[in-house]
């Protein structure tokens, strides 16, 4: 290879890395801005991809621009305008969407004074009053005309920037099934002419849970990545916390928005202790609690009180209370496991999820011994969504090992090794098998 070829390859690599970084950090904002302007999600996705391809062609030769995100947005907008000029079908569809938007009544001005208590509906707000365009579209994509699972999947994929396999993991579903859901949701938006607008105050209570679910799912992928070289994706976790803060500031009377923010803070406070020097996972019982973020924990605890005051607790408030009990304990032995099990007993009817049942079984094992926990895990063996869920298989291996059933524990760890998505998880499981 000649020196000139080497320089070109290096410039191409730098440009590709710059495109990837910008795309990862700003894809949601880019799509949100384009959808807000043109009212068409498919068009926004297509011209976003075209802008990325243009960047990969031009940046190696011309250099990475000072404001790469603005470069991509400008390029995508130009591509969209060109497409609309050529495609009369697109133009006709957008004309209908514009007419629908004009007929829609504007939402009243927001009331974010915090007046009221309990889990009231909080504020209504217009498009321009949400400080983040992604949150604007989070609300538009939670339209009741879409099935609940479809709208959450669509928002995670198209606006939160998760890949289809990552979204599938959040739902414990095969990737092919999730891809079909996303296509179905986009088709429904197009055929039902669902307008891209923020709901008014009468619609907000119905849509807010979907938005909270999306933000929580983004955090979950950041907390435990479904694939890749790292256990945690701190950029995603921190972005979810930022969005949760905006929601809580806009809707201070919504106790579940306080509960979600509390939960994210109390879990994220342990981030520095969750991995070892080589990025390997460190179990809760082995973590150096001196590395936990105490100011973040105190902020989360104060929000838990707000989330649990004024009426029946919601699922995020209960999960935040569980996280607070973990964070308050000096070590695993000092943790109030009976109270944690009692909180899971409250949470399970609110969120009848196999993952909640799995976490409750682990808490029961800590309270009553590994045999009791294993019996509960074995009762969940027929749950299809847990068959390919690594934490379930790992939990069984741990409890089998504590009971001295080493052969069965090793078999469980081998199964988990096949399912693990990140290299740190696989390395940890190989060590367990070696032990």
């Amino acid at each position: 290879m000649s020196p000139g070829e080497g320089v070109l390859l290096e410039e191409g690599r730098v440009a590709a890395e710059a495109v990837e970084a910008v795309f990862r950090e700003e894809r949601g904002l880019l799509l949100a801005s384009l959808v807000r302007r043109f009212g068409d999600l498919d068009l926004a996705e297509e011209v976003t991809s075209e802008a990325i391809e243009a960047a990969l062609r031009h940046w190696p030769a011309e250099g990475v621009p000072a404001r790469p995100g603005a470069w991509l947005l400008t390029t995508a907008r130009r591509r969209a305008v060109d497409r609309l000029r050529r495609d009369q079908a697109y133009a006709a569809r957008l004309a209908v969407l514009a007419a629908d938007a004009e007929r829609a009544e504007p939402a009243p001005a927001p009331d974010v004074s915090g007046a009221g208590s309990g889990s009231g509906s909080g504020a209504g707000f217009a498009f321009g009053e949400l400080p983040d365009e992604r949150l604007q579209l989070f609300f538009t994509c939670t339209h009741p005309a879409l099935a609940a699972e479809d709208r959450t999947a669509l928002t995670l994929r198209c606006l939160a920037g998760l890949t289809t396999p990552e979204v599938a993991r959040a739902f414990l579903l095969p990737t092919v099934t999730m891809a079909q859901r996303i296509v179905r949701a986009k088709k429904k938006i197009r055929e039902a002419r669902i307008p891209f607008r923020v709901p008014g105050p009468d619609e907000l209570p119905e849509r807010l849970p979907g938005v909270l679910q999306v933000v929580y799912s983004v955090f979950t992928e950041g907390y435990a990545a479904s694939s890749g070289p790292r256990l945690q994706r701190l950029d995603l976790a921190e972005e979810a916390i930022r969005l949760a803060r905006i929601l809580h500031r806009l809707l201070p009377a919504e106790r579940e928005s306080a509960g979600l923010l509390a939960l994210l803070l109390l879990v994220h406070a342990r981030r520095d202790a969750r991995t070892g020097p080589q990025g390997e996972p460190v179990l809760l019982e082995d973590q150096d609690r001196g590395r936990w973020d105490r100011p973040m924990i105190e902020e989360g605890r104060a929000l838990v009180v707000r989330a649990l005051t004024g009426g029946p607790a919601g699922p995020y408030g209960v999960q935040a209370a569980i996280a607070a009990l973990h964070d308050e304990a000096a070590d695993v032995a000092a943790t109030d496991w009976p109270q944690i099990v009692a909180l899971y007993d409250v949470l399970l009817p609110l969120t009848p999820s196999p993952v909640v049942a799995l976490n409750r079984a682990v808490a029961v094992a800590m309270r009553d011994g590994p045999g009791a926990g294993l019996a509960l895990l074995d009762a969940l063996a027929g749950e299809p969504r847990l068959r390919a869920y690594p934490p379930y298989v790992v939990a069984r291996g741990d409890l089998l090992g504590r009971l001295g059933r080493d052969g069965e524990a090793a078999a469980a760890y081998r199964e988990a090794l096949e399912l693990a998505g990140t290299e740190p998880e696989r390395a940890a499981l190989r060590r367990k098998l070696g032990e």
Side-chain angles (χ1 to χ4, degrees):
M1 178 187 302
S2 68
E5 290 174 330
V7 170
L8 288 174
L9 284 174
E10 178 62 18
E11 289 176 348
R13 183 188 64 78
V14 171
E17 289 178 353
V19 172
E20 181 184 355
V22 172
F23 188 66
R24 184 175 60 249
E25 294 172 8
E26 301 195 31
R27 179 183 184 277
L29 282 171
L30 184 60
L31 273 176
S33 179
L34 292 166
V35 172
R36 182 181 180 186
R37 177 160 181 171
F38 298 106
D40 189 292
L41 184 53
D42 281 330
L43 174 64
E45 287 193 296
E46 289 170 9
V47 297
T48 295
S49 297
E50 291 176 8
I52 295 294
E53 293 173 2
L56 288 171
R57 288 195 307 270
H58 291 284
W59 291 6
E62 302 170 5
V64 178
R67 297 176 59 204
W71 190 99
L72 288 173
L73 179 57
T74 299
T75 302
R77 281 176 175 170
R78 289 172 179 166
R79 297 297 177 95
V81 170
D82 290 343
R83 180 76 62 84
L84 293 176
R85 285 172 178 164
R86 295 193 308 266
D87 191 334
Q88 293 303 312
Y90 262 128
R93 188 192 317 162
L94 292 181
V96 170
L97 289 170
D100 288 345
E102 287 179 5
R103 284 194 297 268
E105 292 186 7
D111 173 13
V112 294
S113 62
S117 60
S119 57
S121 62
F125 35 78
F127 239 136
E129 291 162 338
L130 271 176
D132 190 297
E133 289 181 320
R134 280 165 295 190
L135 281 179
Q136 296 172 2
L137 287 189
F138 283 3
F139 276 101
T140 65
C141 286
T142 53
H143 194 282
L146 301 174
E149 63 272 16
D150 290 357
R151 56 189 183 235
T152 303
L154 174 69
T155 313
L156 286 171
R157 174 66 189 94
C158 297
L159 303 178
L162 301 190
T163 65
T164 301
E166 289 167 351
V167 179
R169 176 181 180 271
F171 285 84
L172 304 183
L173 289 173
T175 299
V176 172
T177 302
M178 186 51 59
Q180 293 170 344
R181 279 191 181 180
I182 293 168
V183 170
R184 183 173 65 212
K186 290 166 68 176
K187 182 179 179 182
K188 179 70 173 180
I189 287 177
R190 183 170 61 252
E191 293 181 348
R193 289 166 34 192
I194 294 173
F196 287 93
R197 64 176 180 83
V198 173
D202 58 326
E203 303 168 291
L204 188 58
E206 184 177 14
R207 301 217 198 165
L208 180 61
V211 176
L212 296 178
Q213 174 62 45
V214 168
V215 175
Y216 177 64
S217 297
V218 172
F219 179 83
T220 299
E221 179 62 27
Y223 172 80
S226 56
S227 61
R230 294 183 300 277
L231 180 70
Q232 303 182 91
R233 293 179 60 183
L234 297 181
D235 58 329
L236 278 182
E238 289 163 3
E239 176 64 10
I241 290 173
R242 190 185 71 81
L243 295 173
R245 286 191 187 281
I246 293 173
L247 282 171
H248 179 56
R249 187 169 68 248
L250 289 168
L251 304 169
E254 285 288 349
R255 291 186 296 113
E256 273 292 81
S257 69
L260 175 65
L261 179 56
L263 174 61
L264 304 193
L265 293 172
L266 290 164
V267 173
H268 195 57
R270 310 173 202 148
R271 62 195 179 280
D272 292 340
R274 289 190 59 236
T275 55
Q278 307 303 318
E280 69 276 13
V282 178
L283 298 176
L284 185 65
E285 61 194 65
D286 299 322
Q287 289 178 18
D288 177 1
R289 300 186 178 213
R291 300 182 64 196
W292 288 2
D293 188 330
R294 288 297 159 186
M296 189 172 283
I297 290 172
E298 292 308 311
E299 182 184 1
R301 290 177 64 193
L303 286 164
V304 169
V305 174
R306 192 176 308 174
L308 299 182
T309 302
Y316 294 113
V318 176
Q319 290 178 80
I322 293 171
L325 288 173
H326 284 297
D327 288 1
E328 292 165 0
D331 53 39
V332 168
T335 302
D336 190 346
W337 292 108
Q339 181 64 19
I340 287 177
V341 173
L343 286 169
Y344 273 120
D345 289 339
V346 174
L347 179 62
L348 196 53
L350 294 173
T351 309
S353 156
V355 175
V356 174
L358 161 62
N359 291 334
R360 180 185 178 277
V362 172
V364 168
M366 299 302 296
R367 184 191 67 179
D368 301 335
L374 183 62
L376 292 174
L377 289 183
D378 287 344
L380 296 172
E383 172 56 60
R385 287 177 288 178
L386 292 181
R387 289 174 187 166
Y389 187 55
Y392 171 74
V393 185
V394 171
R396 285 197 76 253
D398 288 344
L399 295 183
L400 287 165
R402 293 184 189 187
L403 291 169
R405 295 160 61 176
D406 292 346
E408 293 172 87
Y413 289 141
R414 281 192 291 270
E415 182 181 353
L417 186 60
E418 294 295 320
L419 298 172
T422 66
E423 183 51 39
E425 290 175 294
R426 288 189 286 268
L429 288 166
R430 284 192 287 267
R431 282 194 298 274
K432 285 181 176 291
L433 282 168
E435 294 168 0

